[in-house]
Amino acid sequence: MAEPLDRAVEELTARKELLGWTVTHRRVRGEQLFADRQRVEARRSIESDQLILDALCTSDGASEPPGCGAASATVTAGEDPGPAIEFAIAAARRTRNQPYSLPSPAPLPDVDLADPVLQADLSGALRSLHERLDACASRDPAARLTLAEWFAEAEETHLVNSQGIDARQSRTELSLEWIVLAGQGQERVETLIDLDRRRLADLDVEAEWEEIARQTADRHSAGAAPMYTGPVVLRGNALRTFLNSGPFQTLGSGRSRFSKLSPWEPGHSIFRGEVRGDPLTVWATRVIPYGKHASRFDEEGLAGQRVLLVDQNVFRSYSASQRYATYLSVPATGSFGDIEVPPGSASVADLIAEPHVEVITWSDFSPEPTIGDFAAEIRLGYHVENGRRRPFSGGLLVGNLFDALADVRWSAETGFFGSYLGPTTARFASLQVTPSRAT
Amino acid sequence: MTTSTPTLTIPPPMAELRPRLPDSVATLQARSPYAAVLLSAREGISISVEAREEEISQMPRSVGTVLSVFDGETLNEKSLPGFDGDRLMAASRELAGSLPKGRGSGRVETVPPRDFATTGAVPLESLALEDKLERCRDLQRRLAAADPRVVNAQVSYLEYDESSVYRSRDADLSQRVLRGRLSVFVVLSQNGETRYDWLSKGDTGDWQPLDYSDADLHEVVQGAARLFSAERIEPAEYVVVSGPGVSGVLCHESFGHGVETDLFPKERARAFDYIGRQVGSPLVNIIDDPSLPGCYSSYFFDDEGMLSRPATIVEHGVFLRGISDMASAQRLGIERTANGRRQDYTRKPYARMSNTYFGPGSTSMEEILAQVDRGIYLDQWVNGMEDPQGWGIQITCHYGQEIRNGKITDRTFAPVSISGYVPDVLGTIRAASPTVMMDQGTCGKGHKEYVRNSSGGPSLLLRTTLG
């Protein structure tokens, strides 16, 4: 693994006009399996092997203070990196920016990123997982597995920069997409589940099948969405989707702040009104073991950190690259990572005891990223009242992400959901559900 | 897209490996009725200019070789990085060795190579990098000066350089396609609040369609400014006039994703039960055409070697056919269309859209608006999501504007979600304007398998639920 990177480092080191450089050698091998309920339709094996070269140098032309420019280029490992280096330097020199420097070495976290079982046999792992899924599906007469796509990858990364960073990490990634049907003809419905994990042990095939089969059966018997304003409960994967939908990542970003897209300032509440629920604390973290966005270091070489983004409703720290950290005079934290929320004080039993609507899945949940407004179509929800849990499909969940989080109660029970670690359940005091389909 | 004497050629490493591909195909073909090798290079540059920053970068490259064998039921593929002849042959022998014996002929025909490349009035490749940067800077300065409330104006240029060589038993094809997309994004600040809007133009091969007039920039600024007074819309059914952008997404999510034939054998597409049946008003004509000259998602052949040609999906409201990849066409026993596309060499081909659009109508925009006492004009879409099983549509728009007594007013609603049942929505279309305009974007199958895409149409008059 050393040789392609060494050659690029040698050539970049010789370029005295550079203020700094970074070379990342990234190798990925993967296996993919595609099946329907009758058979395996396709098998694929993949490899990629690349060097990513980043150059930082003084901008052409006289200016006071001197500006700097940065550019990156990619080359397949084994190819001559010369042309890519020439492109990167020429491109960097043409652009003008406020000066900044590259990250310096820092202790890297010992965060678990790779599953040795998966690394040892990607193909065998997928085969075994699919056999388990097939076994579940064959025992279930009502739910029909119509699509199962499996992706397993093992990645090795080595990053070196001109400031002295020399870091390595290994990661595994397991992704799946299942689609399950219920019913026939015009009454037919489907449920889709897509999950990302790094470790086989974090994927309980049987439990996930049971859940998706139940959801599909409920969608099949689902009625129309109610006209409703009141408490809404989100749990597990739905809560993960809600929190990872974009507003925290956009508004908490140093880059967004520098480009004047984000109004968030440290020391100020993120909420526009009174907070009536549990106070909100959020970490942006790259050190959740086997977290989807966990890393020892990011694409710049910045060490993985657990950044306190919001503390008791107050914004504390941007998620910032070295560049924007320099521009904003804030600590460099690296890329955003996963979301972590501390446990609440209520039990799940208490949170779901009173009438509410629970949303399981949406067609797509994409709030406006700088305000947080959303109107998302519900694929499956439940209206819970008088001891009954009635499934519905097709309404719109309407609201504002931050207004919702200003009046929420979190469960004491916590769980890990790939890109989210925190309470399994959240009860939002008041959101709106409206019927969405013209008839 | 012109194909006469192209000046663009495929990258030298691909050209050097090309003569060895028949040997690879023959090795694979000895064990499988169908075998092919695809050389694929996806690369490009990005230029970004804003108030206090500039950046030029090469976009992440995806460059590699795909060996494919298909026995009519199972597709087996091996994807390798780069274009190494020795590695290609070793991988060919390994893949062939993993297959059962005696299923193929081993015969590869000698066929004349066919080479294609994009070009244009001002070919993208004719402008130097410095020139493109200066054009972006100029545009950024113009946008920044367009209004005193502008606190940031960003211009970004993305140029995708996609080359492929496809060799099978009876086809030897190469193409090089340059796609350019120039976008402006403006941030306004007023009373401590910020709002933004954007506009994007794209083409395949030509810089000329990427020019921005002062009127274009004024409209983007006004779009952002309207949002300071935007209201939440009351969820209900509305009369809607969709601009070409929203018409395109409606087309894309309804009879684009909904008719990708790889869904048909899996019982995932409601449309399968409607082949030959009325699915919309007689004004509805929907076409997918990867051969459309200059269109953002055009190509000369798909990733499975099928030469591009249009596919009429819906004609006068009757659903005729879906769009296919090779495997689903074979399984369904239907004629293939040129829609077998991969995200890149590391991903499998699926049935995917290219340039998908509503055909033109004959009612002018003035006549369309005159029919609306109260309604909403929608054109600035953000994203859409398909639901081929439920035949639903969900489209999110950045904002919409009130139509009152035939006029588009300044009253603005944001955001606005469109939600509906496909036949219901298409059935309400009662007018279409004469001019088709195409938008550009990226399309996923669910939340993965991203490919360049274009959608569009005329302005449409319809009814649907908004929230």
Side-chain angles (χ1 to χ4, degrees):
Chain A
M1 189 166 169
E3 195 232 314
L5 181 140
D6 289 345
R7 182 178 173 187
V9 168
E10 187 180 324
E11 292 195 29
L12 285 165
T13 304
R15 301 299 291 262
K16 300 305 177 189
E17 71 269 46
L18 290 175
L19 297 174
W21 49 261
T22 307
V23 180
T24 306
H25 186 188
R26 183 171 177 265
R27 288 197 317 180
V28 177
R29 58 187 175 87
E31 295 289 331
Q32 303 167 0
L33 188 152
F34 306 82
D36 65 16
R37 63 176 167 272
Q38 294 166 334
R39 58 193 170 84
V40 171
E41 294 181 312
R43 292 185 189 83
R44 307 186 75 255
S45 65
I46 66 139
E47 287 179 50
S48 74
D49 191 349
Q50 291 187 323
L51 290 177
I52 301 130
L53 313 168
D54 293 282
L56 179 70
C57 59
T58 304
S59 307
D60 284 345
S63 66
E64 193 55 45
C68 75
S72 62
T74 310
V75 63
T76 302
E79 286 181 359
D80 177 9
I85 291 171
E86 291 301 328
F87 170 87
I89 293 175
R93 289 174 60 177
R94 283 186 167 90
T95 58
R96 294 187 287 266
N97 300 280
Q98 295 173 30
Y100 68 97
S101 59
L102 298 183
S104 296
L108 301 181
D110 261 330
V111 56
D112 294 314
L113 303 171
D115 182 339
V117 177
L118 201 51
Q119 282 176 313
D121 186 1
L122 298 174
S123 176
L126 294 191
R127 224 172 19 249
S128 172
L129 287 168
H130 187 65
E131 284 168 4
R132 288 167 61 186
L133 177 66
D134 219 13
C136 291
S138 64
R139 289 193 293 268
D140 197 325
R144 308 196 298 280
L145 176 70
T146 196
L147 179 148
E149 296 188 348
W150 302 89
F151 304 84
E153 289 187 357
E155 174 192 308
E156 306 286 329
T157 306
H158 182 193
L159 183 149
V160 175
N161 83 355
S162 53
Q163 298 293 98
I165 292 178
D166 188 338
R168 296 174 188 265
Q169 67 187 356
S170 299
R171 295 193 285 194
T172 52
E173 186 167 325
L174 178 63
S175 303
L176 64 90
E177 182 174 295
W178 302 344
I179 295 174
V180 176
L181 308 179
Q184 301 288 347
Q186 295 291 311
E187 306 301 315
R188 192 174 60 230
V189 299
E190 72 176 37
T191 302
L192 182 151
I193 180 173
D194 53 7
L195 297 175
D196 297 291
R197 297 289 185 268
R198 291 203 183 279
R199 185 174 59 165
L200 286 167
D202 291 321
L203 175 62
D204 186 335
V205 171
E206 290 73 17
E208 296 292 347
W209 170 263
E210 194 179 316
E211 176 64 21
I212 193 176
R214 184 179 57 74
Q215 287 181 22
T216 311
D218 285 348
R219 269 206 84 189
H220 189 230
S221 61
M227 181 69 79
Y228 174 89
T229 301
V232 170
V233 167
L234 299 180
R235 293 197 262 189
N237 289 325
L239 192 50
R240 177 207 68 202
T241 299
F242 185 84
L243 293 171
N244 278 290
S245 57
F248 282 109
Q249 291 79 1
T250 300
L251 292 167
S253 148
R255 178 169 191 161
S256 295
R257 179 63 182 170
F258 185 71
S259 63
K260 300 188 189 297
L261 195 58
S262 170
W264 281 10
E265 287 184 37
H268 294 263
S269 174
I270 65 169
F271 297 115
R272 54 189 177 187
E274 182 191 353
V275 178
R276 287 184 287 271
D278 294 347
L280 181 68
T281 294
V282 177
W283 287 281
T285 169
R286 285 190 284 128
V287 294
I288 296 176
Y290 304 105
K292 178 176 178 178
H293 300 106
S295 62
R296 300 187 72 220
F297 54 90
D298 69 358
E299 61 274 6
E300 276 191 289
L302 284 165
Q305 299 179 41
R306 184 171 179 252
V307 176
L308 184 58
L309 198 76
V310 178
D311 182 21
Q312 306 276 302
N313 309 321
V314 175
F315 179 63
R316 290 297 178 203
S317 322
Y318 295 106
S319 165
S321 64
Q322 184 68 50
R323 174 174 182 166
Y324 297 104
T326 304
Y327 292 166
L328 297 172
S329 299
V330 299
T333 65
S335 54
F336 189 92
D338 301 312
I339 283 191
E340 183 183 345
V341 174
S345 55
S347 68
V348 172
D350 283 345
L351 294 178
I352 64 173
E354 298 299 316
H356 61 275
V357 156
E358 179 177 354
V359 176
I360 305 299
T361 57
W362 296 274
S363 301
D364 182 52
F365 188 79
S366 297
E368 198 286 338
T370 63
I371 298 173
D373 287 340
F374 58 82
E377 184 182 63
I378 300 167
R379 286 267 170 105
L380 178 64
Y382 294 93
H383 191 188
V384 183
E385 59 179 359
N386 302 323
R388 287 183 60 220
R389 191 173 160 85
R390 182 180 69 80
F392 67 87
S393 184
L396 287 175
L397 184 71
V398 181
N400 176 278
L401 188 112
F402 297 106
D403 290 349
L405 288 168
D407 199 353
V408 65
R409 293 176 64 207
W410 301 96
S411 69
E413 296 92 331
T414 59
F416 169 66
F417 302 97
S419 55
Y420 165 61
L421 175 67
T424 63
T425 306
R427 182 183 178 97
F428 299 91
S430 184
L431 286 169
Q432 186 183 10
V433 176
T434 66
S436 63
R437 295 286 175 86
T439 56
Chain B
M1 295 188 292
T2 182
T3 63
S4 58
T5 319
T7 55
L8 278 178
T9 56
I10 57 175
M14 294 172 82
E16 285 161 21
L17 184 57
R18 192 175 181 182
R20 295 188 68 175
L21 299 186
D23 290 339
S24 172
V25 174
T27 301
L28 300 170
Q29 193 94 29
R31 294 291 188 95
S32 178
Y34 166 85
V37 178
L38 178 73
L39 308 181
S40 172
R42 307 275 164 96
E43 43 199 331
I45 59 164
S46 72
I47 300 173
S48 174
V49 177
E50 52 185 285
R52 296 185 288 171
E53 300 184 74
E54 296 182 334
E55 190 167 319
I56 301 174
S57 276
Q58 199 181 67
M59 284 195 274
R61 293 174 81 218
S62 179
V63 173
T65 303
V66 185
L67 311 177
S68 303
V69 288
F70 181 52
D71 62 6
E73 287 205 354
T74 306
L75 175 71
N76 281 284
E77 293 193 324
K78 205 166 180 60
S79 297
L80 314 169
F83 307 120
D84 182 286
D86 293 340
R87 194 164 178 195
L88 167 70
M89 292 313 302
S92 302
R93 288 188 291 272
E94 185 185 341
L95 181 56
S98 71
L99 301 172
K101 291 183 183 177
R103 305 266 328 253
S105 69
R107 185 167 51 85
V108 178
E109 296 172 17
T110 301
V111 293
R114 298 184 67 181
D115 304 310
F116 306 93
T118 52
T119 186
V122 181
L124 293 174
E125 69 275 14
S126 69
L127 298 176
L129 185 63
E130 185 70 42
D131 199 349
K132 289 167 182 164
L133 174 62
E134 278 309 312
R135 289 177 184 229
C136 290
R137 284 172 171 160
D138 178 66
L139 188 53
Q140 195 275 337
R141 283 190 288 266
R142 288 169 57 206
L143 184 58
D147 190 285
R149 292 169 293 182
V150 174
V151 293
N152 199 3
Q154 181 189 68
V155 174
S156 67
Y157 174 67
L158 302 176
E159 185 175 289
Y160 299 97
D161 186 347
E162 300 173 2
S163 299
S164 52
V165 174
Y166 175 85
R167 189 62 165 99
S168 67
R169 179 178 60 84
D170 55 5
D172 182 357
L173 307 171
S174 84
Q175 65 184 342
R176 186 160 174 201
V177 178
L178 291 189
R179 309 183 199 284
R181 186 176 184 186
L182 185 61
S183 306
V184 298
F185 181 90
V186 71
V187 183
L188 269 56
S189 179
Q190 180 174 290
N191 300 326
E193 294 186 336
T194 59
R195 298 291 185 268
Y196 62 88
D197 201 8
W198 68 88
L199 183 60
S200 185
K201 299 190 180 193
D203 194 81
T204 295
D206 197 355
W207 181 277
Q208 206 165 70
L210 308 185
D211 282 338
Y212 280 79
S213 66
D214 288 342
D216 288 332
L217 301 183
H218 175 78
E219 186 52 39
V220 175
V221 170
Q222 290 311 305
R226 283 188 205 109
L227 291 168
F228 287 117
S229 58
E231 309 163 45
R232 292 302 299 262
I233 197 166
E234 187 62 36
E237 188 177 87
Y238 288 84
V239 172
V240 169
V241 175
S242 62
V246 170
S247 300
V249 180
L250 179 60
C251 174
H252 178 99
E253 303 298 352
S254 63
F255 274 88
H257 279 298
V259 303
E260 292 166 337
T261 60
D262 53 355
L263 305 182
F264 288 6
K266 295 179 168 52
E267 298 183 85
R268 290 198 60 213
R270 188 65 54 94
F272 183 65
D273 300 326
Y274 284 76
I275 295 175
R277 294 169 60 180
Q278 198 80 27
V279 294
S281 91
L283 292 174
V284 175
N285 297 287
I286 295 176
I287 303 99
D288 183 277
D289 187 2
S291 67
L292 211 52
C295 211
Y296 185 68
S297 188
S298 293
Y299 43 84
F300 296 96
F301 55 89
D302 70 6
D303 290 324
E304 297 179 309
M306 187 80 179
L307 291 173
S308 295
R309 60 174 189 248
T312 301
I313 298 169
V314 176
E315 190 168 58
H316 303 313
V318 176
F319 173 43
L320 297 183
R321 66 177 65 80
I323 53 175
S324 70
D325 64 329
M326 178 177 64
S328 63
Q330 197 275 341
R331 189 164 175 183
L332 293 165
I334 61 175
E335 188 183 359
R336 267 171 78 184
T337 64
N339 293 94
R341 303 181 67 191
R342 304 170 187 269
Q343 175 176 294
D344 60 28
Y345 82 95
T346 68
R347 310 295 283 192
K348 188 177 83 71
Y350 294 83
R352 307 302 302 275
M353 288 172 272
S354 61
N355 306 302
T356 319
Y357 58 97
F358 280 105
S362 58
T363 308
S364 71
M365 190 62 175
E366 293 72 28
E367 289 168 326
I368 288 176
L369 289 172
Q371 298 182 49
V372 181
D373 291 330
R374 291 196 67 176
I376 303 290
Y377 177 70
L378 294 171
D379 195 29
Q380 186 65 309
W381 63 277
V382 177
N383 57 41
M385 178 54 70
E386 73 268 26
D387 178 16
Q389 184 71 267
W391 232 353
I393 306 167
Q394 183 182 351
I395 300 169
T396 302
C397 297
H398 193 40
Y399 57 84
Q401 291 173 259
E402 182 190 49
I403 303 171
R404 188 68 95 108
N405 299 324
K407 299 273 189 253
I408 299 174
T409 75
D410 284 332
R411 188 180 181 196
T412 304
F413 302 95
V416 178
S417 285
I418 301 170
S419 181
Y421 180 59
V422 167
D424 289 350
V425 176
L426 297 189
T428 70
I429 294 174
R430 63 177 194 265
S433 68
T435 305
V436 172
M437 293 174 63
M438 301 297 289
D439 213 333
Q440 322 81 38
T442 302
C443 169
K445 212 151 164 93
H447 297 112
K448 59 182 183 61
E449 318 303 338
Y450 292 102
V451 295
R452 234 72 63 204
N453 195 260
S454 179
S455 59
S459 289
L460 299 172
L461 176 61
L462 52 98
R463 294 186 68 89
T464 188
T465 303
L466 304 179

